Amino acid sequence: MPPSPSAQSTSPFKREDVRVQKLDYIRRAASDLFNKKGFDATSLDEVAEKIGISKPSIYYYYKNKSELLLGCYIRTLDLCDDLLAETHQIEGSALDKICHFTRQLIFLNCAQGAIAVVSEIDALPSEAIGPLRARSRDLTKRLKRLIADGVADGSLRPDLSDVTTLFIMGAVNWTPRWYREDGPMTPTAIADAYISFLVQGVAAEADQSPGR
Amino acid sequence: MPPSPSAQSTSPFKREDVRVQKLDYIRRAASDLFNKKGFDATSLDEVAEKIGISKPSIYYYYKNKSELLLGCYIRTLDLCDDLLAETHQIEGSALDKICHFTRQLIFLNCAQGAIAVVSEIDALPSEAIGPLRARSRDLTKRLKRLIADGVADGSLRPDLSDVTTLFIMGAVNWTPRWYREDGPMTPTAIADAYISFLVQGVAAEADQSPGR
DNA sequence: AGGAAATTTGACTTTCAAGTCAAAACCGCG
DNA sequence: CGCGGTTTTGACTTGAAAGTCAAATTTCCT
């Protein structure tokens, strides 16, 4: 649907497609660097160099650095929303769903540039902060609900604290900091190890509450 | 022991003590801000303002911003070393020791400014990067050894992956990002929840390995 | 009080990355 | 080819924070 009233429009799609691809290309490079070095520590010259274009080209696609970060974060939240929706389709207990979600999120974090860890919200354009926080909160709320479901269906321990999600997300969000494609661990191995840890803990036997 | 050959030296200690205190005071403010906003996103004017001094005063105590970061990281590693040494004094299984270590590390992360999460090594003066990485690796190695001990003494599951330490540290290192003194959770509650999770996992029953 | 050394700071220079712009290169079409 | 529109870029300006310095202030001793 090209509502543009202007002239020549024999190939109405390709142009837009290329544009979207380029937007994506830049966003991925930026996400990867933002994850690894942080937003402020990453210069747009670096982003440009990583993909072999010049800095002004970035400005042709994004209004400024903050908008680029916003693009990264929106994409991340979109993917998380999708993932959570997909998760609800899973047959099985709430625990199974949590495991699925966690595993896929680890994969996303390891696929460099797929998503950016949403952690530097203050660097966003000020009018975007509120809505983004709202989306983040909503996501957190749905994760907490998933945990409550698990307690209800008996697949999770009944005494789980609300901070459980924070711990899980913390560990997952930390992966981009150390994961390297050429490192010794595959994403699958990482996910396996993490989920096994998540489900069973580290102790050899189930019950042996340690003192302080 | 005042080896200084210069004149007036009736009270040889106080001066130096005050100096050390000020170094510490500045380092704490910086650690706290570096944890919360990241190194590059934190200006020295902010650090100065936080403790009510001027930026040049910081330069009287630290050669430059990188040296200040280095001070933060060295302090962190010193405290971790101490903590690990203390941990070895603990009576009990390797699991008990790991729990103690984790708990105290959470406390340090919650005590604002006590330590700075060592994550922006690249921002250090280049000649300091090597030695600091070496110390970090050494610490990691000793943590892995502690895990091996746990497997040996039967307090830990025998199939724990090497990345277990990374997950634990990831979750712990994430706490400064969300912990607030005036928030709903006390450091003790956080540590309790986290350790219970660490030891037992989230599953209701010990054994129920979930599919992919 | 008086003076020397230590400390602090306002005002400055420097540096580096964000952001702009007008000219160049590219593309699809007759 | 050559012409409009699109995309890209080299060279620039701007702004904010790092870093410096000489003068002002404080400290502490006699």
Side-chain angles (χ1 to χ4, degrees):
Chain A
M1 40 140 158
S4 125
S6 72
Q8 53 68 253
S9 53
T10 20
S11 62
F13 287 114
K14 212 166 154 199
R15 267 281 152 70
E16 184 60 13
D17 288 353
V18 169
R19 180 183 168 75
V20 168
Q21 263 176 260
K22 294 248 170 100
L23 277 165
D24 212 61
Y25 194 45
I26 295 169
R27 191 184 38 65
R28 284 181 152 264
S31 288
D32 189 41
L33 290 172
F34 293 164
N35 272 342
K36 290 196 177 118
K37 319 191 9 164
F39 177 74
D40 286 87
T42 303
S43 79
L44 290 185
D45 284 305
E46 289 177 271
V47 177
E49 194 187 356
K50 183 181 164 86
I51 53 180
I53 63 171
S54 67
K55 184 171 63 168
S57 291
I58 295 177
Y59 281 92
Y60 184 72
Y61 289 95
Y62 289 93
K63 192 160 147 282
N64 54 42
K65 199 182 175 188
S66 297
E67 294 285 339
L68 177 52
L69 182 69
L70 181 59
C72 293
Y73 283 178
I74 285 177
R75 171 73 174 165
T76 298
L77 290 173
D78 285 348
L79 282 175
C80 285
D81 282 344
D82 290 354
L83 179 52
L84 202 50
E86 176 191 313
T87 292
H88 285 304
Q89 304 304 107
I90 293 271
E91 287 292 317
S93 65
L95 175 59
D96 291 334
K97 291 176 188 176
I98 290 169
C99 288
H100 176 83
F101 181 82
T102 306
R103 168 177 295 272
Q104 299 300 325
L105 196 54
I106 290 172
F107 289 167
L108 286 176
N109 271 294
C110 290
Q112 60 170 187
I115 62 177
V117 174
V118 178
S119 60
E120 304 192 72
I121 287 191
D122 291 344
L124 291 173
S126 57
E127 73 282 5
I129 293 180
L132 208 106
R133 263 197 218 288
R135 282 196 66 179
S136 280
R137 260 198 303 272
D138 182 59
L139 200 59
T140 306
K141 208 178 295 175
R142 283 189 286 159
L143 285 174
K144 283 184 181 166
R145 203 175 304 145
L146 196 51
I147 287 185
D149 289 350
V151 172
D153 76 10
S155 59
L156 297 188
R157 294 164 49 198
D159 62 335
L160 281 184
S161 154
D162 248 14
V163 278
T164 308
T165 48
L166 288 170
F167 294 139
I168 297 175
M169 296 310 282
V172 172
N173 286 343
W174 199 250
T175 49
R177 291 289 179 95
W178 54 265
Y179 173 75
R180 293 293 175 272
E181 295 219 69
D182 53 354
M185 304 280 300
T186 65
T188 305
I190 292 169
D192 286 344
Y194 183 47
I195 284 176
S196 140
F197 167 59
L198 167 69
V199 173
Q200 299 178 252
V202 298
E205 306 274 307
D207 193 10
Q208 59 178 130
S209 59
R212 62 155 283 136
Chain B
M1 41 144 155
S4 126
S6 73
Q8 53 67 256
S9 54
T10 19
S11 61
F13 286 115
K14 213 166 153 197
R15 267 281 151 72
E16 184 60 13
D17 287 353
V18 168
R19 181 183 167 75
V20 169
Q21 263 176 261
K22 294 249 170 98
L23 277 166
D24 212 62
Y25 194 46
I26 294 169
R27 191 185 38 65
R28 284 180 152 265
S31 288
D32 188 40
L33 291 172
F34 292 165
N35 272 342
K36 291 197 177 119
K37 319 192 9 165
F39 177 73
D40 285 87
T42 304
S43 79
L44 291 185
D45 284 305
E46 287 176 272
V47 176
E49 194 187 355
K50 183 182 164 85
I51 53 180
I53 63 173
S54 68
K55 184 172 60 168
S57 292
I58 294 178
Y59 281 93
Y60 184 71
Y61 289 96
Y62 290 92
K63 191 160 148 283
N64 54 43
K65 199 182 174 187
S66 296
E67 293 285 340
L68 176 54
L69 182 68
L70 181 59
C72 294
Y73 283 178
I74 287 177
R75 172 73 174 165
T76 298
L77 290 173
D78 285 347
L79 282 174
C80 286
D81 282 344
D82 290 354
L83 180 52
L84 202 50
E86 176 191 312
T87 292
H88 285 303
Q89 303 304 107
I90 294 270
E91 287 291 317
S93 66
L95 175 58
D96 290 335
K97 291 176 187 175
I98 290 169
C99 288
H100 177 83
F101 181 80
T102 305
R103 169 177 295 273
Q104 299 300 325
L105 195 54
I106 289 171
F107 288 168
L108 286 177
N109 270 295
C110 289
Q112 62 170 186
I115 63 179
V117 173
V118 178
S119 60
E120 303 191 74
I121 286 191
D122 291 343
L124 290 173
S126 58
E127 73 282 4
I129 292 179
L132 208 107
R133 264 197 218 288
R135 283 196 67 179
S136 280
R137 262 198 301 273
D138 182 59
L139 200 61
T140 306
K141 208 177 295 175
R142 283 190 285 159
L143 284 174
K144 283 183 180 168
R145 204 174 304 145
L146 195 53
I147 287 186
D149 289 350
V151 171
D153 77 10
S155 60
L156 296 189
R157 293 165 49 198
D159 62 335
L160 281 184
S161 153
D162 249 15
V163 279
T164 308
T165 47
L166 287 169
F167 293 137
I168 297 175
M169 296 310 283
V172 172
N173 286 343
W174 200 252
T175 48
R177 292 288 180 94
W178 54 265
Y179 173 75
R180 293 294 175 272
E181 293 219 69
D182 53 354
M185 305 280 299
T186 65
T188 303
I190 292 169
D192 286 344
Y194 183 49
I195 285 177
S196 140
F197 167 59
L198 167 68
V199 173
Q200 300 176 251
V202 299
E205 306 275 305
D207 192 11
Q208 60 178 128
S209 61
R212 64 155 281 134

